[in-house]
Each structure stands twice: as C-alpha cells, then as structure tokens.
Amino acid sequence: MLAITLQALVLGLGAGLAPGPLLALVMSESLRGGARAGMRVAVAPLITDTPVVALSWALAGSLDPESPWLALLSLGGALVVGQIAVEQWRAVLPEADAMPAAGSRSLLRGAAVNLLSPHPWLFWITLGGPLLASAANESAWRAVAFLTVFYLLLVGTKLVLAVLTGRWGRSLTGVGYRRVCRVLALVLLAFALQLGWEGVSRLLD
C-alpha cells in the first residue's frame, strides 16, 4: 500500500505542477475572476479524466501478466515519466495572462482544455492505467487509494495556485516553484528508470 501511495503522490504532484495550458488557464482565470474562477478550472480533471481512466484501466486489466505488451507499456511509461521529469526540471511559473479570458464559464473552458490535451490520454494509457490495474489486482482498496491520492495532489496543487494567484496576482515569484519542480524532477527520473528496468526485465524473461 505504501509503494502505490508514494507513486500516486509523486505522479499527482508532478501532474499538478506541470506547466501547460490547464495550469496557465487556472492562473489566468484566478487573475481575472478571482480565486473561485481559477478553482473551477482546477477541478476540471475530475470531470474529463473519467472516460480516459476507465478505458486505460480496462485495456491494461485485460492483458495477461506475461504479455509482452505490458513490457512495452512499461517502456512507454518510462518515456512519458522521463519526459515529464525533463519538463519539470525546465519548468517556470506560467504567465498569468497566458490564456485569454474565459468569462463565467471557467469550468467548461477548463474541461475542454483538459479533454482535448493529449497529455492525460498518453499518461493514463501508458502509465496510469497499468499502475491502476496492477493495484486493483492486489486489492480494490489499493486502486481506490491510488486514484484518491493522485487526484488529491493533481487538483490540490492547482487549487493552491489558484488561491495564491487570486490573492497576490502578479506579485507571485517563480523561485519556489522552480525549486519544487526540480526536486520533483529528480524523483520522477528515478521512477522512470525503475519503469524502464521493469520493461527491459519483462522482455528478457
């Protein structure tokens, strides 16, 4: 349980802090409409990720444990996490006005941005789905714990940034953000290497 929880924590934090259109929209809405507007965007993954998670879970769960496809998924997951690690290392706090105003439909705009982004699909098909299926095979509670911790961190970090942006706006500094991202990048890199080793080991067995 501890291992799957730590994986969910690191991956959720990485996804929550990852620079991209959703994070930029969170900050943009917070600046223009206050923290509540940004918070509505921050919870968009709770709506849009449901079909993605269900599909990837079903796909990974239908594979035989000895299937070479699991090895390829592990290698694909290693590449995805490695790319996230590189992006985290280079990350800078997005400009709050990087996205156009979305008016009062913050949640719908956030849902559209997240649903049309390839990142959630790529993450869940290559990495999240297999991890979730593996956790579910051991215990339903492990799968619930993985999803709960992952989304608490993913949504929670964006909610915090929405509040900070809504309250302090342009006075936010990116120094602390960069430091957190770089520490997280090293942890993610270690996780990517572990996934890569598991993929190679499956192919060699």
Side-chain angles (χ1 to χ4, degrees), residues 104-130:
S104 60
R105 299 185 176 181
S106 304
L107 179 57
L108 291 177
R109 187 66 172 270
V113 167
N114 196 59
L115 186 61
L116 296 175
S117 171
H119 296 99
W121 294 91
L122 186 60
F123 171 82
W124 280 106
I125 290 173
T126 62
L127 179 61

Side-chain angles (χ1 to χ4, degrees), residues 48-63 70 73 119-134 136-137 146-147 150-151:
T48 58
D49 282 11
T50 302
V52 183
V53 174
L55 178 62
S56 60
W57 185 358
L59 174 64
S62 66
L63 295 176
L70 284 179
L73 284 175
H119 296 99
W121 294 91
L122 186 60
F123 171 82
W124 280 106
I125 290 173
T126 62
L127 179 61
L131 285 176
L132 187 58
S134 176
N137 286 337
F146 179 85
L147 285 174
F150 178 83
Y151 278 101

